[in-house]
Amino acid sequence: MYLFTCILLHKYLGFTTYPPAYLSKQARGKNLLLGANFASGSSGYYENTAKLYHTIPLSKQVLYYKDYQTKLVRIAGISNATSIISGSIHLLSSGASDFVQNYYVNPTLYKNYTPDQFSDILMQYYATIVQQLYSLGARKIGVTTLPPMGCLPASITLFGDGSNQCLPNMNVVALSFNNKLNITSLRLQNKLTVLNLVILDIYQSLYDLVTKPADFVGTCANASQYVFWDGFHPSEAANKILAANLLASGIALIG
């Protein structure tokens, strides 16, 4: 998930402090009782996406998560640590970088795999990550869908041939991926019966913001009213709307 949306979700849930980045100096001692953020920008489900952009792959993030649990046991004791882990909400957001920053610009991928085939590969990685988190005690996992990739400024700039419109073909790929995500998640839910796995749809909310921005965040009178902050990430105004919508769809993870 976009980091800023995560922070806003914490705010809407009533938290006044936020999980620190795990590799930061703040992730020490009792601060770890708040949880931790293992995210790394431009990584993806696909291992090579992270390698391309020198970021931390999901497999390494899981190892950091295991290391975090070891530290948590030292601080809280094994019983309390186990309770904290099982009662915590785990948020997983990935996939857009795999397509926009890897598949569509990498002939090794797009010449050998159709978007549908590449989605199937990503689903295998996704299922593996969820099962690994489950084996480590995670019982509440929220997973975001892909955004409307064809509406991202980076996509329009790279692949839009000079247009300033959303790219329907890329959005179709995102919708197909999201359908596979739902099907795969249902299978995982049935297999891992104690797991509460919730899909958090950001596609429709962000698509509505992009195609009808005046209905939500106004025009571009100032930077706080833009839908996007940069080529990939929504602005603060857009993130507030996304966070509110995610909270509504992810309420099943709370409690």
Side-chain angles (χ1 to χ4, degrees), residues 179-245:
N179 183 57
K180 291 176 183 289
L181 187 68
N182 277 285
I183 293 171
T184 303
S185 298
L186 182 60
R187 289 173 180 165
L188 288 167
Q189 184 77 70
N190 291 334
K191 178 181 179 181
L192 309 172
T193 54
V194 187
L195 177 64
N196 185 7
L197 182 59
V198 176
I199 299 299
L200 306 171
D201 179 29
I202 62 172
Y203 181 97
Q204 193 60 50
S205 296
L206 190 53
Y207 182 80
D208 290 341
L209 281 170
V210 171
T211 56
K212 298 177 289 185
D215 291 352
F216 301 95
V217 293
T219 58
C220 298
N222 60 67
S224 68
Q225 293 176 317
Y226 283 102
V227 173
F228 286 97
W229 170 255
D230 59 15
F232 294 93
H233 303 97
S235 66
E236 178 180 358
N239 268 314
K240 287 180 179 179
I241 296 167
L242 292 174
N245 290 338

Side-chain angles (χ1 to χ4, degrees), residues 21-220:
Y22 185 65
L23 297 181
S24 71
K25 293 180 180 179
Q26 288 71 40
R28 301 288 185 276
K30 291 186 177 180
N31 281 349
L32 293 177
L33 294 173
L34 302 173
N37 179 2
F38 305 92
S40 184
S42 295
S43 63
Y45 290 118
Y46 197 60
E47 287 285 299
N48 284 343
T49 301
K51 292 179 181 178
L52 281 174
Y53 297 96
H54 307 288
T55 59
I56 304 170
L58 273 174
S59 58
K60 182 68 172 179
Q61 292 176 40
V62 171
L63 292 178
Y64 283 137
Y65 178 59
K66 291 178 66 176
D67 185 57
Y68 160 79
Q69 290 189 354
T70 300
K71 294 178 180 178
L72 190 63
V73 168
R74 294 177 189 152
I75 297 168
I78 188 167
S79 179
N80 287 334
T82 299
S83 179
I84 290 170
I85 293 298
S86 63
S88 295
I89 297 173
H90 300 72
L91 298 176
L92 177 62
S93 179
S94 200
S97 293
D98 291 317
F99 279 101
V100 180
Q101 294 175 262
N102 194 355
Y103 177 82
Y104 284 110
V105 298
N106 187 348
T108 302
L109 291 177
Y110 66 71
K111 288 185 177 180
N112 288 289
Y113 304 104
T114 66
D116 189 62
Q117 290 171 331
F118 188 60
S119 290
D120 288 338
I121 293 172
L122 298 184
M123 283 302 109
Q124 294 175 23
Y125 280 103
Y126 163 65
T128 297
I129 290 296
V130 169
Q131 290 176 95
Q132 288 175 341
L133 292 175
Y134 184 83
S135 70
L136 291 170
R139 293 297 180 264
K140 300 178 180 181
I141 303 177
V143 183
T144 64
T145 62
L146 283 187
M149 296 188 299
C151 296
L152 299 178
S155 298
I156 294 172
T157 299
L158 289 171
F159 314 115
D161 294 327
S163 77
N164 193 32
Q165 303 296 321
C166 293
L167 307 178
N169 289 344
M170 292 185 72
N171 284 346
V172 168
V173 170
L175 288 170
S176 175
F177 176 94
N178 292 342
N179 183 57
K180 291 176 183 289
L181 187 68
N182 277 285
I183 293 171
T184 303
S185 298
L186 182 60
R187 289 173 180 165
L188 288 167
Q189 184 77 70
N190 291 334
K191 178 181 179 181
L192 309 172
T193 54
V194 187
L195 177 64
N196 185 7
L197 182 59
V198 176
I199 299 299
L200 306 171
D201 179 29
I202 62 172
Y203 181 97
Q204 193 60 50
S205 296
L206 190 53
Y207 182 80
D208 290 341
L209 281 170
V210 171
T211 56
K212 298 177 289 185
D215 291 352
F216 301 95
V217 293
T219 58
C220 298

